[in-house]
Amino acid sequence: MSTGDRRQDRGVRPSTLGGRTPRALFPAPSRLDGRPTVGVLALQGDVREHSLALEAAGARAVGVRSARDLGSAPGERLDGIIIPGGESTTMSTLLSAFGMLRPLRGLIAAGLPAYGSCAGMIMLADRVEGAEEGQAFLGGIRMTVRRNAFGRQVDSYEEDLVAPALGADEGHPLRAVFIRAPWVEEVGPGVEILATTRAGRAGDDAPGSGGRIVAVRQGRMLATAFHPEVGGDHRVHDIFVGMVGEAACDR
């Protein structure tokens, strides 16, 4: 019996490696599927609710709890990130304590799509009225935001927004939940106003259509003063996941 016959008889397959290196047999792991991976900053806030909304919008949601979870460049670990609501001073403190503030700020500046809701809107603002002394922010959106502009916890409320840019009309209103929410005092060049409150509820002296500015977009950054993760309306998350997909195609 030849050597090859003895190998076959023992159930041993001849080597198929040929001239290839072992690395060619074990390539870098690929994404589990074709969905973009969007991180949800999991230090406080509606992490589960945002994650469920992202999944419904066609993304793969992952919790972000450390600088390692961020990766070193857009697309390495995350295709986008959500900064949820909570308390902006606490969020600033935790980001600094866990060594996440500077790397996250750098990723956003490098083009990582980011969406901030409520306290997340404050964190993405370049200027903040009513900030605590020494409070640090991520920045990136040319806007001035006022903290707790709608009042304290007891002043929380719901309202149908003026938001045609978010797909809202009389037949399909966008119901927004405001909880100790900020509003946008003013926006700079390149910032698109996506939604306002209705005149009369937050003050008739506000810019725009008479209501307060509560949703904006600048490039690959999105921010809302309200909590779209509450309830089953995923239009805001749909828009953000679309932004994430566009950014991934551009890389």
Side-chain angles (χ1 to χ4, degrees), residues 62-111:
V62 296
V64 175
R65 299 176 177 83
S66 69
R68 177 181 173 82
D69 295 335
L70 294 170
S72 60
E76 180 188 304
R77 286 183 177 270
L78 302 176
D79 297 308
I81 191 164
I82 287 181
I83 316 298
E87 208 286 317
S88 62
T89 55
T90 300
M91 194 175 297
S92 297
T93 300
L94 292 175
L95 282 170
S96 297
F98 292 129
M100 300 173 69
L101 184 69
R102 293 183 67 181
L104 181 52
R105 186 184 286 159
L107 284 173
I108 293 172

Side-chain angles (χ1 to χ4, degrees), residues 135-146:
Q135 185 175 356
F137 302 97
L138 297 167
I141 300 181
R142 291 185 289 270
M143 62 179 176
T144 300
V145 169
R146 181 173 295 279

Side-chain angles (χ1 to χ4, degrees), residues 224-243:
T224 64
F226 53 94
H227 292 264
E229 75 279 7
V230 178
D233 192 328
H234 301 137
R235 276 176 282 186
V236 173
H237 290 82
D238 287 340
I239 290 171
F240 182 61
V241 171
M243 294 166 57

Side-chain angles (χ1 to χ4, degrees), residues 17 45 52 88 92 113 128-129 165 178-179 187 203 210 216 222 232 237 250:
L17 180 61
L52 292 173
S88 62
S92 297
V128 179
E129 297 287 344
F178 294 91
I179 304 172
V187 299
V216 298
L222 179 70
H237 290 82
D250 291 341

